[in-house]
Amino acid sequence: DTAVSQTPKYLVTQMGNDKSIKCEQNLGHDTMYWYKQDSKKFLKIMFSYNNKELIINETVPNRFSPKSPDKAHLNLHINSLELGDSAVYFCASSQLGTGGDEQFFGPGTRLTVL
Amino acid sequence: QQPVQSPQAVILREGEDAVINCSSSKALYSVHWYRQKHGEAPVFLMILLKGGEQKGHEKISASFNEKKQQSSLYLTASQLSYSGTYFCGTVVGDDKIIFGKGTRLHILP
């Protein structure tokens, strides 16, 4: 069984389009995250949700909107895509979300904006 | 605020040892270590909480010096499977992990 899954795995789109990435975890965790890993492999947190409530919002452009319909799902919608949005986006989850807890990462979604 | 990792890259022969360092300019609540292989997701190795503890995981161990705001990851008798990029992540009390730029480790047979 996959612990943290993301769809799609690859996403290629034109500038200006809107796209969504979906994430699901079956670990029963309360906290979920979105990370962005750029071409230089820098891994940066974007958002975290605890039991459907937004906890961390890291100075991300408001073109990015996370949505958590329930604590097992955290989706990421991106409006008006720009070239600089090209990156690998990782979803992750942890039980506590207090910084003292291991995080389980999904396989990643490679977004390419042309 | 981003922790500084050193070295940036290491090339070892199988069986050799390596040390990866991570330092922060801020007081730390915890330090996380993750390994990422090419094209894959980061995988958790260990967490060290403030208190200066040392942890071990097979032949991989780590220390955390709270006063110096530093952590080190020790890889003993490295195996080919240890190749990848190692990230330290620091938590300063606001519950989010800030990752360093990573240390690329390549093990030669």
Side-chain angles (χ1 to χ4, degrees):
Chain A
D1 279 350
T2 304
V4 183
S5 59
Q6 294 179 228
T7 52
K9 189 165 175 63
Y10 300 96
L11 193 49
V12 181
T13 189
Q14 300 284 335
M15 259 191 340
N17 284 350
D18 303 337
K19 289 293 177 186
S20 292
I21 307 171
K22 294 186 176 182
C23 177
E24 177 181 0
Q25 54 96 2
N26 63 7
L27 297 167
H29 288 167
D30 286 339
T31 308
M32 296 185 72
Y33 311 82
W34 278 111
Y35 286 89
K36 178 181 180 181
Q37 187 169 44
D38 61 22
S39 58
K40 295 183 179 178
K41 305 299 181 190
F42 178 34
L43 191 60
K44 185 171 171 23
I45 189 166
M46 300 173 70
F47 303 101
S48 81
Y49 270 73
N50 182 276
N51 204 5
K52 301 193 297 176
E53 181 183 347
L54 179 66
I55 302 298
I56 293 172
N57 184 342
E58 271 295 292
T59 58
V60 177
N62 56 17
R63 298 182 295 104
F64 290 80
S65 53
K67 282 189 172 53
S68 181
D70 56 61
K71 75 173 195 176
H73 295 85
L74 180 61
N75 304 322
L76 184 65
H77 188 76
I78 315 170
N79 289 325
S80 303
L81 278 155
E82 301 178 355
L83 293 176
D85 297 333
S86 294
V88 180
Y89 292 83
F90 287 102
C91 176
S93 73
S94 67
Q95 181 55 47
L96 298 174
T98 57
D101 199 19
E102 77 175 274
Q103 295 186 10
F104 293 80
F105 283 78
T109 296
R110 182 174 293 277
L111 171 65
T112 303
V113 182
L114 304 174
Chain B
Q1 192 173 349
Q2 183 181 28
V4 177
Q5 286 186 235
S6 62
Q8 290 185 335
V10 184
I11 300 176
L12 298 176
R13 292 214 171 269
E14 209 173 359
E16 292 181 337
D17 301 341
V19 180
I20 300 171
N21 300 303
C22 176
S23 64
S24 173
S25 59
K26 291 181 175 267
L28 300 174
Y29 170 75
S30 64
V31 178
H32 296 230
W33 287 97
Y34 286 78
R35 177 172 61 208
Q36 184 178 29
K37 293 183 179 286
H38 182 69
E40 297 181 9
V43 174
F44 171 79
L45 293 176
M46 64 190 79
I47 293 175
L48 299 103
L49 302 178
K50 66 178 181 179
E53 64 176 10
Q54 183 150 354
K55 276 196 170 182
H57 177 74
E58 296 180 344
K59 293 181 181 177
I60 300 174
S61 62
S63 63
F64 177 23
N65 187 318
E66 185 184 344
K67 286 184 180 177
K68 292 186 177 180
Q69 296 156 194
Q70 294 174 345
S71 177
S72 294
L73 186 72
Y74 307 93
L75 299 110
T76 306
S78 57
Q79 306 167 13
L80 293 176
S81 61
Y82 287 2
S83 290
T85 300
Y86 289 78
F87 291 96
C88 78
T90 54
V91 179
V92 297
D94 53 0
D95 298 341
K96 65 187 177 194
I97 302 176
I98 305 297
F99 285 99
K101 292 184 177 180
T103 295
R104 292 188 311 282
L105 177 65
H106 188 62
I107 310 293
L108 300 172

